[in-house]
Amino acid sequence: MTLDTLVAATVHPEGGSRPVGRVRFMDVPAMSRWVSTRGPESIIAEMAAAIEDDFRRWAAFDKTPRVASHSTDGVIELMPTSDGVTYGFKYVNGHPNNPL
């Protein structure tokens, strides 16, 4: 399994193929199979190449500041971004009193 099989791919106007669409859920058994099949060196090299490609297009991204929802127990933050074609986000959940 390669990075481009985890998501559907499309060609962007700037050139190159970028992952878009639905990401498969990768539980521990699926991740173990992926790493044992592809090898960690190959996976890390592909991820590094994808990150380098995105940094080359840094100006194309709308880097919206994170949106935070605070409570007495912690915070949940949404970190959205888009290049005008693809939208992505990351949630960060910070609750220091909840060790689970």
Side-chain angles (χ1 to χ4, degrees), residues 72-92:
T72 56
D73 297 323
V75 64
I76 296 176
E77 297 174 324
L78 171 65
M79 300 175 187
T81 191
S82 174
D83 66 358
V85 176
T86 304
Y87 176 82
F89 63 89
K90 174 175 91 170
Y91 270 117
V92 175

Side-chain angles (χ1 to χ4, degrees), residues 12 14 51-64 81-86:
H12 283 240
E14 300 86 10
I51 292 168
E52 287 174 359
D53 181 46
D54 282 343
F55 272 109
R56 284 187 204 96
R57 297 180 334 106
W58 189 253
F61 288 97
D62 172 19
K63 295 166 283 295
T64 303
T81 191
S82 174
D83 66 358
V85 176
T86 304

Side-chain angles (χ1 to χ4, degrees), residues 21-87:
R22 298 181 67 179
V23 177
R24 278 190 212 165
F25 175 70
M26 293 292 283
D27 58 8
V28 173
M31 184 63 70
S32 295
R33 284 190 304 273
W34 185 43
V35 172
S36 67
T37 301
R38 297 280 299 137
E41 296 85 1
S42 176
I43 292 170
I44 291 169
E46 290 178 30
M47 287 183 179
I51 292 168
E52 287 174 359
D53 181 46
D54 282 343
F55 272 109
R56 284 187 204 96
R57 297 180 334 106
W58 189 253
F61 288 97
D62 172 19
K63 295 166 283 295
T64 303
R66 63 182 70 183
V67 179
S69 177
H70 295 272
S71 73
T72 56
D73 297 323
V75 64
I76 296 176
E77 297 174 324
L78 171 65
M79 300 175 187
T81 191
S82 174
D83 66 358
V85 176
T86 304
Y87 176 82

Side-chain angles (χ1 to χ4, degrees), residues 93 95-100:
N93 179 352
H95 291 82
N97 293 326
N98 182 0
L100 302 177

